[in-house]
Structure formats: structure tokens, C-alpha cells
Amino acid sequence: MDRFVSTFTNKIDAKGRVSIPAPFRAVLERDGYGGGIYCYPSLDAPALDAGGERLAQKIDGLLAGLPDYSDERDELSVALYGDVQVLAIDGDGRIVLPQPLRTHAGLQSEVTFVGLGEKFQMWAPERFDERRRAAREKVQEHRKLLGRAARSDGSEGDGA
Amino acid sequence: MDRFVSTFTNKIDAKGRVSIPAPFRAVLERDGYGGGIYCYPSLDAPALDAGGERLAQKIDGLLAGLPDYSDERDELSVALYGDVQVLAIDGDGRIVLPQPLRTHAGLQSEVTFVGLGEKFQMWAPERFDERRRAAREKVQEHRKLLGRAARSDGSEGDGA
DNA sequence: TGGATAATCATGGGCGTCAATGGATCGTTA
DNA sequence: TAACGATCCATTGACGCCCATGATTATCCA
């Protein structure tokens, strides 16, 4: 199994360190681990996107299609690479979140890790709760359309 | 890993020296380091482009595609080579930015190093923030076009 | 089946190393 | 000799690395 699933909430300690949930670490290790995870601010949410090599290659793939020295490439490069931070994982499976990233996601003392398949997100727990509540409502609406819904409600299980 | 990634902000001291971020130095050393970095004003941004041997070869490659003695080649040669400076790296991993380059990028007391894969840029922090903000907006627009390549946060229906 | 034991994982703290930064020294040159 | 540049040295603060603790879960045996 190579996907990030489930949600976990861990604490940020005095040094700004957070443990990556062990199941996520296991996925990262299978995913050609290159010394760290790739992390950047989510484009449309107060959260951080993160993943391993597979995610990095996806970003490269986006740029590979554009000609060198084109305006689009330059802009996309700045937007994609410019925001990306490579976060080293220490011997205990923890990362340090730099201040700019913490600010974007509004992270204070806890981080909720949300598995999204090939990548995962990091949220401030309160904001994620809010988001999840909104998502539930939408799912309720879609349910009628989807018939038997894709997920009955497996999205909780976070340890908080 | 052979690419410049992440962003770092370092200070310019009274003598005009700046430390190159250690991770970037590591990339430069692997990249056939020849005693200095190639640096020139970005063609379309108030920033400086820089890199090692690989970047130099890329510039050569661009020119190689144009016929000798053509106007385009002459112009491009001047545009590309004309402003290139080879900046020596001192024993502590620092470079000195000549005044013309600093002027082009509007560098005052701090420099933001932005990894862009095969090269990196140096920005005045304020200008980079501005540029990044603009780039992110554009990416949001393009996002639908990029579609499943960029996003995987399928809020419903997990990734394949 | 229940309890004891072992293993895994999150969390906190201490310590050594390295990088960034500032200053001093030496050599070169006008 | 004065000014500039380049190399070297020192300080400080951050980061990586190691170990200890506690809690929860899984395993094994009685």
C-alpha cells in the first residue's frame, strides 16, 4: 500500500518539531526517500501540502512541458519551486516546520496530518475540523447523486 | 539530489558579501565546480540568475541552436554572455555581488535565494514576496488546465 | 481469557557540530 | 603609505543527532 490515508494529530514541541505519523513515514520510505519531504503552502487552503519523491517528480513534470526561458516557465518555476521547502526528517521521524510555512497554515501547537493518497496535508486542527464539517455537508448533498456514497463516513479516526 | 530547491534568505554584510546557502553549495560542488558561479541579471525579472557548470552549458546550448553570424545570435550572445559575471566563492562559502548586479535586483541588506532546479535566483526579499504572490494567483488560474497533473487532493474519491 | 511482557511510537530534552555572520589580518597595488 | 581586496579567524545561534521517558498497542504465555 503506497498511499497516504487517515488523519493524525501530533504536537509541535518547543523547537518546532513534529513527528510524522508512522504510517506516513512508511509510505515515504517506499517512495524513494531522498533525505527529506517536499512541502509547500497549499494553493487554495490554509494548509501545507507535502509528499515524497513522487510528488517532486510531478512538479518537475509540469515544468518539463514548458520551453526554457519562456515567461510561463519562469512564473511557474517561481510559484512551484519557490515555495517548496525540503524538510529533513531526523532520526526519530520528525521534521521542523519553518516559520513561513507555519504562518501560512496558522500552525500553533498541534498539526493534523491528512492523508490524500499520493500526498498529505498539514492543518491546524481547528481549521481542519471546520473544513471537514463543510466537506461533510457537501458529501451529504452529493450522496443523493452518487447513490451509495463512495465513503460512508470513514474520514474520522483521527486520534484527537 | 542535483537540483536547487527551497528558498533561503541571507544577509549582505558591510563589505557586500553574502553566504550562499549550504545546500546550494553542495549542489554546485557536485556540478563540476570550477571556482565560481555564473551570475547574470534575469532577463525578465528584477533578480539575478545563477548556477554552475550545468547552467553555463545550457546557455551554450541555446546559442548553438542559432546560425553563426545571425543577428539573433549576436543579440542573444550579448544579452546572455554580456552580463555574465563569474563570482568567486571564498573559503567561507560567500560571494561578493558587484554593484551593477545589486542594482539590477535592488538588493540592499538581504538576499533571498530561490532554488529553481537547474539554477537559482537571488531576489530582494520584498520583491520576491510580491512576485510569488502574483505567480501563485496565476497558478490558481491555470490549475484547472493542469488538472489531474497538479492536484490529487480529490476530496472525494481517493487517488485511483 | 486475562495478565504480564515486549515493541512501537510520540514527545521532551541535552549536546555537539556546522553554518552564517562579523571582524581582523595580511598582501597587493596605485 | 593609504586604500582596497582577499584570506583567515572567532563568535553565536541554529540544526542534526542521540538518548530517556511515557503511553499505547501488540504478543505471548499461563
PDB file of all heavy atoms in Angstrom, chain A residues 38 42-44 58 60 68-69 71 74-76 79 81-86 118, chain B residues 3 5-7 44 58 62 114-115 132 135-136 138-140 143 149 152 158:
ATOM      1  N   TYR A  38       9.055  16.966   0.527  1.00  0.00           N
ATOM      2  CA  TYR A  38       8.800  18.219  -0.177  1.00  0.00           C
ATOM      3  C   TYR A  38       7.519  18.825   0.380  1.00  0.00           C
ATOM      4  O   TYR A  38       6.513  18.145   0.490  1.00  0.00           O
ATOM      5  CB  TYR A  38       8.673  17.962  -1.672  1.00  0.00           C
ATOM      6  CG  TYR A  38       9.947  17.458  -2.280  1.00  0.00           C
ATOM      7  CD1 TYR A  38      10.308  16.118  -2.205  1.00  0.00           C
ATOM      8  CD2 TYR A  38      10.824  18.341  -2.882  1.00  0.00           C
ATOM      9  CE1 TYR A  38      11.505  15.665  -2.738  1.00  0.00           C
ATOM     10  CE2 TYR A  38      12.023  17.902  -3.422  1.00  0.00           C
ATOM     11  CZ  TYR A  38      12.351  16.560  -3.347  1.00  0.00           C
ATOM     12  OH  TYR A  38      13.534  16.130  -3.863  1.00  0.00           O
ATOM     13  N   SER A  42      -0.402  25.036   0.471  1.00  0.00           N
ATOM     14  CA  SER A  42      -1.477  24.655  -0.427  1.00  0.00           C
ATOM     15  C   SER A  42      -1.970  25.891  -1.164  1.00  0.00           C
ATOM     16  O   SER A  42      -2.015  26.985  -0.612  1.00  0.00           O
ATOM     17  CB  SER A  42      -2.640  24.047   0.360  1.00  0.00           C
ATOM     18  OG  SER A  42      -2.210  22.901   1.049  1.00  0.00           O
ATOM     19  N   LEU A  43      -2.312  25.682  -2.417  1.00  0.00           N
ATOM     20  CA  LEU A  43      -2.701  26.836  -3.231  1.00  0.00           C
ATOM     21  C   LEU A  43      -4.029  27.422  -2.790  1.00  0.00           C
ATOM     22  O   LEU A  43      -4.242  28.624  -2.872  1.00  0.00           O
ATOM     23  CB  LEU A  43      -2.773  26.417  -4.702  1.00  0.00           C
ATOM     24  CG  LEU A  43      -1.413  26.192  -5.351  1.00  0.00           C
ATOM     25  CD1 LEU A  43      -1.572  25.575  -6.725  1.00  0.00           C
ATOM     26  CD2 LEU A  43      -0.660  27.510  -5.442  1.00  0.00           C
ATOM     27  N   ASP A  44      -4.934  26.568  -2.339  1.00  0.00           N
ATOM     28  CA  ASP A  44      -6.284  27.073  -2.101  1.00  0.00           C
ATOM     29  C   ASP A  44      -6.793  26.747  -0.715  1.00  0.00           C
ATOM     30  O   ASP A  44      -7.982  26.684  -0.492  1.00  0.00           O
ATOM     31  CB  ASP A  44      -7.230  26.490  -3.150  1.00  0.00           C
ATOM     32  CG  ASP A  44      -7.148  24.981  -3.167  1.00  0.00           C
ATOM     33  OD1 ASP A  44      -6.399  24.423  -2.340  1.00  0.00           O
ATOM     34  OD2 ASP A  44      -7.816  24.361  -3.990  1.00  0.00           O
ATOM     35  N   LYS A  58       6.285  14.960  -9.945  1.00  0.00           N
ATOM     36  CA  LYS A  58       5.079  15.522 -10.530  1.00  0.00           C
ATOM     37  C   LYS A  58       5.297  17.001 -10.832  1.00  0.00           C
ATOM     38  O   LYS A  58       4.905  17.510 -11.880  1.00  0.00           O
ATOM     39  CB  LYS A  58       3.926  15.365  -9.556  1.00  0.00           C
ATOM     40  CG  LYS A  58       2.599  15.263 -10.250  1.00  0.00           C
ATOM     41  CD  LYS A  58       1.754  14.210  -9.588  1.00  0.00           C
ATOM     42  CE  LYS A  58       0.849  13.543 -10.589  1.00  0.00           C
ATOM     43  NZ  LYS A  58       0.133  12.414 -10.011  1.00  0.00           N
ATOM     44  N   ASP A  60       8.201  18.489 -11.328  1.00  0.00           N
ATOM     45  CA  ASP A  60       9.127  18.555 -12.458  1.00  0.00           C
ATOM     46  C   ASP A  60       8.400  18.308 -13.759  1.00  0.00           C
ATOM     47  O   ASP A  60       8.648  18.970 -14.762  1.00  0.00           O
ATOM     48  CB  ASP A  60      10.229  17.508 -12.287  1.00  0.00           C
ATOM     49  CG  ASP A  60      11.285  17.980 -11.307  1.00  0.00           C
ATOM     50  OD1 ASP A  60      11.257  19.166 -10.947  1.00  0.00           O
ATOM     51  OD2 ASP A  60      12.133  17.162 -10.919  1.00  0.00           O
ATOM     52  N   ASP A  68      12.199  26.280 -22.297  1.00  0.00           N
ATOM     53  CA  ASP A  68      13.132  27.041 -21.475  1.00  0.00           C
ATOM     54  C   ASP A  68      12.974  28.532 -21.735  1.00  0.00           C
ATOM     55  O   ASP A  68      12.692  28.955 -22.842  1.00  0.00           O
ATOM     56  CB  ASP A  68      14.568  26.634 -21.818  1.00  0.00           C
ATOM     57  CG  ASP A  68      14.895  25.286 -21.196  1.00  0.00           C
ATOM     58  OD1 ASP A  68      14.067  24.783 -20.423  1.00  0.00           O
ATOM     59  OD2 ASP A  68      15.960  24.750 -21.507  1.00  0.00           O
ATOM     60  N   TYR A  69      13.184  29.285 -20.719  1.00  0.00           N
ATOM     61  CA  TYR A  69      13.221  30.742 -20.845  1.00  0.00           C
ATOM     62  C   TYR A  69      11.927  31.355 -21.342  1.00  0.00           C
ATOM     63  O   TYR A  69      11.907  32.459 -21.857  1.00  0.00           O
ATOM     64  CB  TYR A  69      14.388  31.181 -21.737  1.00  0.00           C
ATOM     65  CG  TYR A  69      15.698  30.781 -21.134  1.00  0.00           C
ATOM     66  CD1 TYR A  69      16.376  29.664 -21.584  1.00  0.00           C
ATOM     67  CD2 TYR A  69      16.233  31.505 -20.066  1.00  0.00           C
ATOM     68  CE1 TYR A  69      17.567  29.275 -21.004  1.00  0.00           C
ATOM     69  CE2 TYR A  69      17.419  31.126 -19.485  1.00  0.00           C
ATOM     70  CZ  TYR A  69      18.087  30.014 -19.962  1.00  0.00           C
ATOM     71  OH  TYR A  69      19.251  29.632 -19.375  1.00  0.00           O
ATOM     72  N   ASP A  71       8.142  32.831 -20.489  1.00  0.00           N
ATOM     73  CA  ASP A  71       7.578  33.521 -19.342  1.00  0.00           C
ATOM     74  C   ASP A  71       6.797  32.576 -18.448  1.00  0.00           C
ATOM     75  O   ASP A  71       6.878  32.641 -17.232  1.00  0.00           O
ATOM     76  CB  ASP A  71       6.659  34.655 -19.811  1.00  0.00           C
ATOM     77  CG  ASP A  71       7.469  35.856 -20.259  1.00  0.00           C
ATOM     78  OD1 ASP A  71       8.705  35.816 -20.109  1.00  0.00           O
ATOM     79  OD2 ASP A  71       6.859  36.817 -20.748  1.00  0.00           O
ATOM     80  N   ASP A  74       9.078  30.560 -16.307  1.00  0.00           N
ATOM     81  CA  ASP A  74       9.667  31.320 -15.207  1.00  0.00           C
ATOM     82  C   ASP A  74       8.664  31.522 -14.084  1.00  0.00           C
ATOM     83  O   ASP A  74       8.975  31.363 -12.914  1.00  0.00           O
ATOM     84  CB  ASP A  74      10.173  32.666 -15.712  1.00  0.00           C
ATOM     85  CG  ASP A  74      11.516  32.520 -16.407  1.00  0.00           C
ATOM     86  OD1 ASP A  74      12.068  31.413 -16.384  1.00  0.00           O
ATOM     87  OD2 ASP A  74      11.999  33.508 -16.965  1.00  0.00           O
ATOM     88  N   GLU A  75       7.455  31.875 -14.473  1.00  0.00           N
ATOM     89  CA  GLU A  75       6.472  32.127 -13.431  1.00  0.00           C
ATOM     90  C   GLU A  75       6.087  30.867 -12.676  1.00  0.00           C
ATOM     91  O   GLU A  75       5.991  30.857 -11.463  1.00  0.00           O
ATOM     92  CB  GLU A  75       5.228  32.767 -14.038  1.00  0.00           C
ATOM     93  CG  GLU A  75       5.362  34.265 -14.095  1.00  0.00           C
ATOM     94  CD  GLU A  75       4.093  34.915 -14.580  1.00  0.00           C
ATOM     95  OE1 GLU A  75       3.134  34.179 -14.874  1.00  0.00           O
ATOM     96  OE2 GLU A  75       4.077  36.142 -14.649  1.00  0.00           O
ATOM     97  N   LEU A  76       5.871  29.831 -13.439  1.00  0.00           N
ATOM     98  CA  LEU A  76       5.527  28.577 -12.781  1.00  0.00           C
ATOM     99  C   LEU A  76       6.670  28.101 -11.900  1.00  0.00           C
ATOM    100  O   LEU A  76       6.451  27.594 -10.806  1.00  0.00           O
ATOM    101  CB  LEU A  76       5.199  27.509 -13.825  1.00  0.00           C
ATOM    102  CG  LEU A  76       3.724  27.330 -14.129  1.00  0.00           C
ATOM    103  CD1 LEU A  76       3.536  26.255 -15.185  1.00  0.00           C
ATOM    104  CD2 LEU A  76       2.972  26.941 -12.880  1.00  0.00           C
ATOM    105  N   ALA A  79       6.566  29.960  -8.767  1.00  0.00           N
ATOM    106  CA  ALA A  79       5.410  29.588  -7.950  1.00  0.00           C
ATOM    107  C   ALA A  79       5.587  28.196  -7.355  1.00  0.00           C
ATOM    108  O   ALA A  79       5.257  27.968  -6.199  1.00  0.00           O
ATOM    109  CB  ALA A  79       4.136  29.640  -8.776  1.00  0.00           C
ATOM    110  N   TYR A  81       8.592  25.919  -7.500  1.00  0.00           N
ATOM    111  CA  TYR A  81       9.843  25.689  -6.778  1.00  0.00           C
ATOM    112  C   TYR A  81      10.025  26.700  -5.661  1.00  0.00           C
ATOM    113  O   TYR A  81      10.524  26.385  -4.593  1.00  0.00           O
ATOM    114  CB  TYR A  81      11.031  25.806  -7.724  1.00  0.00           C
ATOM    115  CG  TYR A  81      11.312  24.568  -8.522  1.00  0.00           C
ATOM    116  CD1 TYR A  81      11.318  24.600  -9.897  1.00  0.00           C
ATOM    117  CD2 TYR A  81      11.587  23.372  -7.883  1.00  0.00           C
ATOM    118  CE1 TYR A  81      11.599  23.473 -10.643  1.00  0.00           C
ATOM    119  CE2 TYR A  81      11.852  22.232  -8.612  1.00  0.00           C
ATOM    120  CZ  TYR A  81      11.861  22.290  -9.998  1.00  0.00           C
ATOM    121  OH  TYR A  81      12.134  21.176 -10.711  1.00  0.00           O
ATOM    122  N   GLY A  82       9.643  27.910  -5.935  1.00  0.00           N
ATOM    123  CA  GLY A  82       9.915  28.969  -4.983  1.00  0.00           C
ATOM    124  C   GLY A  82       9.297  28.724  -3.631  1.00  0.00           C
ATOM    125  O   GLY A  82       9.854  29.098  -2.615  1.00  0.00           O
ATOM    126  N   ASP A  83       8.174  28.104  -3.623  1.00  0.00           N
ATOM    127  CA  ASP A  83       7.501  27.859  -2.357  1.00  0.00           C
ATOM    128  C   ASP A  83       7.886  26.549  -1.708  1.00  0.00           C
ATOM    129  O   ASP A  83       7.541  26.294  -0.575  1.00  0.00           O
ATOM    130  CB  ASP A  83       5.983  27.851  -2.579  1.00  0.00           C
ATOM    131  CG  ASP A  83       5.432  29.257  -2.627  1.00  0.00           C
ATOM    132  OD1 ASP A  83       6.102  30.155  -2.118  1.00  0.00           O
ATOM    133  OD2 ASP A  83       4.338  29.450  -3.164  1.00  0.00           O
ATOM    134  N   VAL A  84       8.565  25.729  -2.472  1.00  0.00           N
ATOM    135  CA  VAL A  84       8.852  24.393  -1.953  1.00  0.00           C
ATOM    136  C   VAL A  84      10.001  24.428  -0.962  1.00  0.00           C
ATOM    137  O   VAL A  84      11.019  25.055  -1.203  1.00  0.00           O
ATOM    138  CB  VAL A  84       9.205  23.429  -3.098  1.00  0.00           C
ATOM    139  CG1 VAL A  84       9.678  22.095  -2.548  1.00  0.00           C
ATOM    140  CG2 VAL A  84       7.989  23.215  -3.997  1.00  0.00           C
ATOM    141  N   GLN A  85       9.811  23.769   0.130  1.00  0.00           N
ATOM    142  CA  GLN A  85      10.879  23.565   1.088  1.00  0.00           C
ATOM    143  C   GLN A  85      11.131  22.074   1.205  1.00  0.00           C
ATOM    144  O   GLN A  85      10.193  21.289   1.218  1.00  0.00           O
ATOM    145  CB  GLN A  85      10.483  24.098   2.467  1.00  0.00           C
ATOM    146  CG  GLN A  85      10.160  25.574   2.491  1.00  0.00           C
ATOM    147  CD  GLN A  85      11.371  26.433   2.780  1.00  0.00           C
ATOM    148  OE1 GLN A  85      12.332  25.957   3.376  1.00  0.00           O
ATOM    149  NE2 GLN A  85      11.336  27.676   2.358  1.00  0.00           N
ATOM    150  N   VAL A  86      12.396  21.726   1.269  1.00  0.00           N
ATOM    151  CA  VAL A  86      12.725  20.329   1.525  1.00  0.00           C
ATOM    152  C   VAL A  86      12.996  20.195   3.007  1.00  0.00           C
ATOM    153  O   VAL A  86      13.927  20.790   3.525  1.00  0.00           O
ATOM    154  CB  VAL A  86      13.949  19.879   0.713  1.00  0.00           C
ATOM    155  CG1 VAL A  86      14.301  18.448   1.053  1.00  0.00           C
ATOM    156  CG2 VAL A  86      13.672  20.021  -0.773  1.00  0.00           C
ATOM    157  N   GLU A 118      -1.587  10.333  -2.788  1.00  0.00           N
ATOM    158  CA  GLU A 118      -0.175  10.446  -3.156  1.00  0.00           C
ATOM    159  C   GLU A 118       0.556  11.538  -2.381  1.00  0.00           C
ATOM    160  O   GLU A 118       1.768  11.642  -2.452  1.00  0.00           O
ATOM    161  CB  GLU A 118      -0.044  10.714  -4.637  1.00  0.00           C
ATOM    162  CG  GLU A 118      -0.473  12.118  -4.988  1.00  0.00           C
ATOM    163  CD  GLU A 118      -0.446  12.339  -6.483  1.00  0.00           C
ATOM    164  OE1 GLU A 118      -0.103  11.404  -7.214  1.00  0.00           O
ATOM    165  OE2 GLU A 118      -0.792  13.461  -6.896  1.00  0.00           O
TER     166      GLU A 118
ATOM    167  N   ARG B   3      19.444  19.137  -7.708  1.00  0.00           N
ATOM    168  CA  ARG B   3      18.709  20.334  -8.088  1.00  0.00           C
ATOM    169  C   ARG B   3      18.709  21.356  -6.959  1.00  0.00           C
ATOM    170  O   ARG B   3      18.758  21.002  -5.782  1.00  0.00           O
ATOM    171  CB  ARG B   3      17.264  19.960  -8.431  1.00  0.00           C
ATOM    172  CG  ARG B   3      17.160  19.015  -9.611  1.00  0.00           C
ATOM    173  CD  ARG B   3      15.756  18.503  -9.717  1.00  0.00           C
ATOM    174  NE  ARG B   3      15.352  17.891  -8.454  1.00  0.00           N
ATOM    175  CZ  ARG B   3      14.127  17.459  -8.210  1.00  0.00           C
ATOM    176  NH1 ARG B   3      13.207  17.576  -9.116  1.00  0.00           N
ATOM    177  NH2 ARG B   3      13.832  16.909  -7.053  1.00  0.00           N
ATOM    178  N   VAL B   5      16.696  23.528  -4.725  1.00  0.00           N
ATOM    179  CA  VAL B   5      15.332  23.641  -4.236  1.00  0.00           C
ATOM    180  C   VAL B   5      15.322  24.389  -2.910  1.00  0.00           C
ATOM    181  O   VAL B   5      16.350  24.542  -2.263  1.00  0.00           O
ATOM    182  CB  VAL B   5      14.675  22.261  -4.029  1.00  0.00           C
ATOM    183  CG1 VAL B   5      14.317  21.639  -5.355  1.00  0.00           C
ATOM    184  CG2 VAL B   5      15.560  21.370  -3.224  1.00  0.00           C
ATOM    185  N   SER B   6      14.167  24.837  -2.544  1.00  0.00           N
ATOM    186  CA  SER B   6      13.948  25.588  -1.312  1.00  0.00           C
ATOM    187  C   SER B   6      14.386  27.047  -1.469  1.00  0.00           C
ATOM    188  O   SER B   6      15.024  27.408  -2.458  1.00  0.00           O
ATOM    189  CB  SER B   6      14.700  24.987  -0.117  1.00  0.00           C
ATOM    190  OG  SER B   6      14.092  23.801   0.301  1.00  0.00           O
ATOM    191  N   THR B   7      13.999  27.833  -0.520  1.00  0.00           N
ATOM    192  CA  THR B   7      14.417  29.226  -0.513  1.00  0.00           C
ATOM    193  C   THR B   7      15.086  29.538   0.817  1.00  0.00           C
ATOM    194  O   THR B   7      14.726  28.980   1.839  1.00  0.00           O
ATOM    195  CB  THR B   7      13.217  30.184  -0.711  1.00  0.00           C
ATOM    196  OG1 THR B   7      12.463  30.239   0.493  1.00  0.00           O
ATOM    197  CG2 THR B   7      12.327  29.724  -1.834  1.00  0.00           C
ATOM    198  N   ASP B  44      13.886  38.864 -17.387  1.00  0.00           N
ATOM    199  CA  ASP B  44      12.537  39.418 -17.279  1.00  0.00           C
ATOM    200  C   ASP B  44      12.093  39.623 -15.847  1.00  0.00           C
ATOM    201  O   ASP B  44      10.914  39.629 -15.551  1.00  0.00           O
ATOM    202  CB  ASP B  44      11.553  38.481 -17.984  1.00  0.00           C
ATOM    203  CG  ASP B  44      11.660  37.084 -17.419  1.00  0.00           C
ATOM    204  OD1 ASP B  44      12.467  36.878 -16.499  1.00  0.00           O
ATOM    205  OD2 ASP B  44      10.943  36.195 -17.894  1.00  0.00           O
ATOM    206  N   LYS B  58      24.016  25.164 -20.586  1.00  0.00           N
ATOM    207  CA  LYS B  58      22.689  25.396 -21.114  1.00  0.00           C
ATOM    208  C   LYS B  58      22.684  26.667 -21.972  1.00  0.00           C
ATOM    209  O   LYS B  58      22.069  26.723 -23.035  1.00  0.00           O
ATOM    210  CB  LYS B  58      21.696  25.556 -19.973  1.00  0.00           C
ATOM    211  CG  LYS B  58      20.279  25.325 -20.434  1.00  0.00           C
ATOM    212  CD  LYS B  58      19.547  24.462 -19.429  1.00  0.00           C
ATOM    213  CE  LYS B  58      18.510  23.594 -20.101  1.00  0.00           C
ATOM    214  NZ  LYS B  58      17.977  22.584 -19.204  1.00  0.00           N
ATOM    215  N   LEU B  62      21.775  27.077 -25.967  1.00  0.00           N
ATOM    216  CA  LEU B  62      20.832  27.985 -26.610  1.00  0.00           C
ATOM    217  C   LEU B  62      21.450  28.625 -27.845  1.00  0.00           C
ATOM    218  O   LEU B  62      20.822  28.731 -28.900  1.00  0.00           O
ATOM    219  CB  LEU B  62      20.416  29.088 -25.640  1.00  0.00           C
ATOM    220  CG  LEU B  62      19.379  28.711 -24.589  1.00  0.00           C
ATOM    221  CD1 LEU B  62      19.113  29.896 -23.693  1.00  0.00           C
ATOM    222  CD2 LEU B  62      18.101  28.247 -25.257  1.00  0.00           C
ATOM    223  N   VAL B 114      16.457  31.540  -4.273  1.00  0.00           N
ATOM    224  CA  VAL B 114      15.319  30.721  -4.676  1.00  0.00           C
ATOM    225  C   VAL B 114      15.790  29.607  -5.595  1.00  0.00           C
ATOM    226  O   VAL B 114      16.276  29.872  -6.698  1.00  0.00           O
ATOM    227  CB  VAL B 114      14.266  31.571  -5.419  1.00  0.00           C
ATOM    228  CG1 VAL B 114      13.041  30.728  -5.726  1.00  0.00           C
ATOM    229  CG2 VAL B 114      13.893  32.794  -4.594  1.00  0.00           C
ATOM    230  N   GLY B 115      15.659  28.389  -5.133  1.00  0.00           N
ATOM    231  CA  GLY B 115      16.058  27.247  -5.957  1.00  0.00           C
ATOM    232  C   GLY B 115      15.061  27.024  -7.078  1.00  0.00           C
ATOM    233  O   GLY B 115      13.856  27.012  -6.855  1.00  0.00           O
ATOM    234  N   ARG B 132       6.032  36.221  -5.924  1.00  0.00           N
ATOM    235  CA  ARG B 132       5.479  34.917  -5.575  1.00  0.00           C
ATOM    236  C   ARG B 132       3.962  34.990  -5.439  1.00  0.00           C
ATOM    237  O   ARG B 132       3.246  34.104  -5.870  1.00  0.00           O
ATOM    238  CB  ARG B 132       6.107  34.428  -4.274  1.00  0.00           C
ATOM    239  CG  ARG B 132       5.616  33.045  -3.884  1.00  0.00           C
ATOM    240  CD  ARG B 132       6.457  32.464  -2.811  1.00  0.00           C
ATOM    241  NE  ARG B 132       6.543  33.350  -1.637  1.00  0.00           N
ATOM    242  CZ  ARG B 132       7.157  33.005  -0.524  1.00  0.00           C
ATOM    243  NH1 ARG B 132       7.749  31.853  -0.438  1.00  0.00           N
ATOM    244  NH2 ARG B 132       7.184  33.839   0.495  1.00  0.00           N
ATOM    245  N   ALA B 135       2.601  35.041  -8.842  1.00  0.00           N
ATOM    246  CA  ALA B 135       2.735  33.741  -9.502  1.00  0.00           C
ATOM    247  C   ALA B 135       1.707  32.757  -8.969  1.00  0.00           C
ATOM    248  O   ALA B 135       1.126  31.976  -9.725  1.00  0.00           O
ATOM    249  CB  ALA B 135       4.150  33.208  -9.286  1.00  0.00           C
ATOM    250  N   ARG B 136       1.477  32.830  -7.686  1.00  0.00           N
ATOM    251  CA  ARG B 136       0.504  31.900  -7.107  1.00  0.00           C
ATOM    252  C   ARG B 136      -0.886  32.140  -7.671  1.00  0.00           C
ATOM    253  O   ARG B 136      -1.637  31.190  -7.924  1.00  0.00           O
ATOM    254  CB  ARG B 136       0.472  32.048  -5.589  1.00  0.00           C
ATOM    255  CG  ARG B 136       1.630  31.363  -4.906  1.00  0.00           C
ATOM    256  CD  ARG B 136       1.598  31.645  -3.420  1.00  0.00           C
ATOM    257  NE  ARG B 136       0.521  30.950  -2.753  1.00  0.00           N
ATOM    258  CZ  ARG B 136       0.594  29.694  -2.332  1.00  0.00           C
ATOM    259  NH1 ARG B 136       1.689  29.004  -2.532  1.00  0.00           N
ATOM    260  NH2 ARG B 136      -0.416  29.124  -1.733  1.00  0.00           N
ATOM    261  N   LYS B 138      -1.583  33.247 -10.600  1.00  0.00           N
ATOM    262  CA  LYS B 138      -1.627  32.697 -11.949  1.00  0.00           C
ATOM    263  C   LYS B 138      -1.766  31.186 -11.932  1.00  0.00           C
ATOM    264  O   LYS B 138      -2.491  30.600 -12.730  1.00  0.00           O
ATOM    265  CB  LYS B 138      -0.367  33.090 -12.718  1.00  0.00           C
ATOM    266  CG  LYS B 138      -0.445  34.459 -13.320  1.00  0.00           C
ATOM    267  CD  LYS B 138       0.241  34.490 -14.669  1.00  0.00           C
ATOM    268  CE  LYS B 138      -0.029  35.826 -15.349  1.00  0.00           C
ATOM    269  NZ  LYS B 138       0.912  36.084 -16.455  1.00  0.00           N
ATOM    270  N   VAL B 139      -1.052  30.577 -11.029  1.00  0.00           N
ATOM    271  CA  VAL B 139      -1.134  29.135 -10.949  1.00  0.00           C
ATOM    272  C   VAL B 139      -2.554  28.698 -10.611  1.00  0.00           C
ATOM    273  O   VAL B 139      -3.066  27.715 -11.140  1.00  0.00           O
ATOM    274  CB  VAL B 139      -0.149  28.581  -9.906  1.00  0.00           C
ATOM    275  CG1 VAL B 139      -0.407  27.114  -9.648  1.00  0.00           C
ATOM    276  CG2 VAL B 139       1.269  28.784 -10.377  1.00  0.00           C
ATOM    277  N   GLN B 140      -3.171  29.465  -9.731  1.00  0.00           N
ATOM    278  CA  GLN B 140      -4.560  29.118  -9.397  1.00  0.00           C
ATOM    279  C   GLN B 140      -5.427  29.142 -10.630  1.00  0.00           C
ATOM    280  O   GLN B 140      -6.301  28.296 -10.804  1.00  0.00           O
ATOM    281  CB  GLN B 140      -5.101  30.106  -8.372  1.00  0.00           C
ATOM    282  CG  GLN B 140      -4.342  30.026  -7.073  1.00  0.00           C
ATOM    283  CD  GLN B 140      -5.231  30.184  -5.863  1.00  0.00           C
ATOM    284  OE1 GLN B 140      -6.438  29.990  -5.969  1.00  0.00           O
ATOM    285  NE2 GLN B 140      -4.648  30.506  -4.737  1.00  0.00           N
ATOM    286  N   ARG B 143      -4.730  26.198 -12.804  1.00  0.00           N
ATOM    287  CA  ARG B 143      -4.864  24.940 -12.097  1.00  0.00           C
ATOM    288  C   ARG B 143      -5.867  24.015 -12.758  1.00  0.00           C
ATOM    289  O   ARG B 143      -5.669  22.815 -12.855  1.00  0.00           O
ATOM    290  CB  ARG B 143      -5.307  25.215 -10.668  1.00  0.00           C
ATOM    291  CG  ARG B 143      -4.987  24.121  -9.728  1.00  0.00           C
ATOM    292  CD  ARG B 143      -4.918  24.686  -8.333  1.00  0.00           C
ATOM    293  NE  ARG B 143      -4.776  23.629  -7.377  1.00  0.00           N
ATOM    294  CZ  ARG B 143      -5.796  23.097  -6.726  1.00  0.00           C
ATOM    295  NH1 ARG B 143      -7.002  23.530  -6.959  1.00  0.00           N
ATOM    296  NH2 ARG B 143      -5.594  22.138  -5.853  1.00  0.00           N
ATOM    297  N   ALA B 149      -2.863  16.612 -13.280  1.00  0.00           N
ATOM    298  CA  ALA B 149      -1.417  16.534 -13.131  1.00  0.00           C
ATOM    299  C   ALA B 149      -0.983  17.145 -11.813  1.00  0.00           C
ATOM    300  O   ALA B 149      -0.202  16.567 -11.078  1.00  0.00           O
ATOM    301  CB  ALA B 149      -0.735  17.259 -14.283  1.00  0.00           C
ATOM    302  N   SER B 152      -4.186  16.326  -6.598  1.00  0.00           N
ATOM    303  CA  SER B 152      -4.540  14.955  -6.302  1.00  0.00           C
ATOM    304  C   SER B 152      -5.387  14.980  -5.065  1.00  0.00           C
ATOM    305  O   SER B 152      -5.631  13.971  -4.453  1.00  0.00           O
ATOM    306  CB  SER B 152      -3.294  14.138  -6.033  1.00  0.00           C
ATOM    307  OG  SER B 152      -2.751  14.565  -4.823  1.00  0.00           O
ATOM    308  N   ASP B 158     -10.756   8.764  -3.554  1.00  0.00           N
ATOM    309  CA  ASP B 158      -9.339   8.884  -3.323  1.00  0.00           C
ATOM    310  C   ASP B 158      -8.569   8.585  -4.599  1.00  0.00           C
ATOM    311  O   ASP B 158      -9.098   8.145  -5.580  1.00  0.00           O
ATOM    312  CB  ASP B 158      -8.904   7.932  -2.209  1.00  0.00           C
ATOM    313  CG  ASP B 158      -9.363   6.527  -2.495  1.00  0.00           C
ATOM    314  OD1 ASP B 158      -9.774   6.299  -3.652  1.00  0.00           O
ATOM    315  OD2 ASP B 158      -9.315   5.704  -1.606  1.00  0.00           O
TER     316      ASP B 158
END
